[in-house]
Amino acid sequence: MAFSAQATIAAGGHAPVMLREVLETLDVHEGATLLDGTFGGGGYARALLAVPNTTLWAIDRDSDAIARGEALSGEIGSQRLHMLHGTFGDMAQLAKDAPPFDGIVLDLGVSSFQLDQSERGFSFRNDGPLDMRMGQSGTSAEHLVNTAPEGELADIIFHYGEDRLARRIARAIVVARAEAQIRTTGQLAEVIRRVVPKDRSGIDPATRAFQGLRIAVNDELGEIERMLEAAPAMLAPGGRLVIVSFHSLEDRLVKRAMANLTGRAARPSRHEPLSVTQQDTPPFSLLTPRPLRAASDETDINPRARSARLRALARLAPSPSGPTR
């Protein structure tokens, strides 16, 4: 691909995770029609639009991201970028007027822009309102933390945050909010830190609980499931779906969906000599039998990339001679 990824990143002031691997896997050709399901800071979008004559539809639920996209559209001075305000789980409806796509890409999870804005309430690095809403509407984390029953909080933190001390954390939250409402990220983080000991990993004790609450507030797993149902059918023959995920819950959903779509279903018995069963002529081909990981030169400068996993599939082109019997 004849363009400078470094210059593309510098122009946008944003370093998208695994950009090199995403571009290589998408294998974008001149004039391609593409969909970016998670516009965010526009890092992927800039790189995709650097390929001559590409047309890009881009989705984001965050109005701040939509504004960044409109600014980018003004920079490139054409109608090649179409911004769509909504969730990627609704991509089929949002992009109903677009032709089939030669490539669809998504970077799951919270964007670095949202993490860096303390007023959005995603991070406890700087104290801010306990919000966490990606779309800036609906139920906030503050409402959830201060009104949800203890059992519901424990389930959210355990299942979505994968924190084994979820019940202890939920109890601490309920006790704390009985004295005064928990309104900021700093307050919540301190409540959690009082009951969760530090471990050798160096990860802040509040990290997993914050992840769980964020996922619940934004229905992130539900959005991923809806996207995985819609996106494959939106690909043109030969089109590719590339997804970058950041934690095991996301990656598990993507892995299972791609396995089913490509005819790789788990055998019912662990005693079978092969781990998968191949269907006859599945409509999709798996491009990543194992997930791709970020290279060391990227993880050295971008710690967020360390947990990233890239999985991809391609829609098979129909045989010129038609199906075989």
Side-chain angles (χ1 to χ4, degrees):
M1 188 175 296
F3 75 99
S4 169
Q6 289 78 10
T8 300
I9 295 170
H14 171 63
V17 172
M18 296 186 72
L19 176 62
R20 177 174 52 208
E21 292 82 359
V22 164
L23 296 176
E24 289 174 353
T25 307
L26 277 175
D27 192 25
V28 179
H29 58 78
E30 182 174 348
T33 301
L34 306 162
L35 174 64
D36 181 351
T38 50
F39 180 83
Y44 290 163
R46 284 181 177 274
L48 296 173
L49 289 166
V51 181
N53 300 319
T54 51
T55 303
L56 179 67
W57 275 257
I59 297 171
D60 209 292
R61 64 165 70 176
D62 190 337
S63 58
D64 291 347
I66 296 298
R68 286 191 290 269
E70 290 170 350
L72 174 58
S73 186
E75 287 179 32
I76 61 178
S78 71
Q79 298 300 311
R80 292 172 56 209
L81 174 60
H82 306 273
M83 294 302 300
L84 305 171
H85 193 185
T87 61
F88 58 69
D90 293 330
M91 61 169 53
Q93 177 62 26
L94 291 170
K96 65 181 185 301
D97 295 328
F101 293 105
D102 299 303
I104 298 175
V105 62
L106 297 101
D107 173 344
L108 304 179
V110 65
S111 80
S112 58
F113 282 88
Q114 292 166 335
L115 287 171
D116 292 341
Q117 294 175 322
S118 58
E119 66 271 20
R120 299 297 300 274
F122 287 98
S123 173
F124 45 76
R125 289 180 296 184
N126 297 301
D127 196 19
L130 188 58
D131 194 320
M132 299 192 188
R133 294 173 297 176
M134 292 179 177
Q136 300 171 306
S137 63
T139 301
S140 68
E142 179 185 345
H143 179 81
L144 183 62
V145 164
N146 287 289
T147 63
E150 181 178 334
E152 182 180 345
L153 286 172
D155 286 345
I156 287 170
I157 295 168
F158 180 76
H159 292 295
Y160 297 156
E162 300 180 291
D163 195 316
R164 60 185 180 83
L165 298 179
R167 295 196 180 281
R168 183 187 298 180
I169 295 169
R171 172 96 295 255
I173 290 172
V174 170
V175 170
R177 78 188 188 191
E179 298 180 3
Q181 281 210 331
I182 302 170
R183 297 187 180 277
T184 72
T185 57
Q187 285 177 289
L188 178 59
E190 281 306 310
V191 169
I192 297 169
R193 290 170 186 146
R194 287 199 293 265
V195 297
V196 178
K198 293 182 178 180
D199 60 30
R200 296 178 181 178
S201 69
I203 297 174
D204 191 289
T207 300
R208 294 183 180 88
F210 266 66
Q211 172 185 294
L213 292 167
R214 190 202 79 221
I215 290 173
V217 164
N218 296 287
D219 187 27
E220 291 178 36
L221 300 186
E223 290 296 331
I224 292 170
E225 289 174 340
R226 289 186 284 276
M227 174 274 294
L228 289 167
E229 291 180 1
M234 298 169 69
L235 292 172
R240 297 185 172 198
L241 172 62
V242 176
I243 301 176
V244 178
S245 60
F246 292 89
H247 58 74
S248 60
L249 296 175
E250 296 172 341
D251 184 59
R252 197 175 301 135
L253 291 175
V254 175
K255 178 182 179 180
R256 184 183 306 127
M258 289 191 174
N260 289 336
L261 287 163
T262 57
R264 300 171 65 88
R267 286 186 179 274
S269 170
R270 64 185 177 88
H271 300 294
E272 293 285 349
L274 298 176
S275 60
V276 296
T277 300
Q278 298 292 339
Q279 297 177 358
D280 292 335
T281 60
F284 299 93
S285 172
L286 190 64
L287 301 176
T288 52
R290 294 180 180 275
L292 302 183
R293 305 298 296 267
S296 59
D297 62 341
E298 179 176 4
T299 58
D300 287 344
I301 61 174
N302 186 3
R304 182 172 181 253
R306 294 172 188 164
S307 61
R309 293 173 174 81
L310 184 154
R311 296 185 186 273
L313 57 72
R315 184 167 194 165
L316 298 179
S319 171
S321 59
T324 58
R325 294 184 179 275

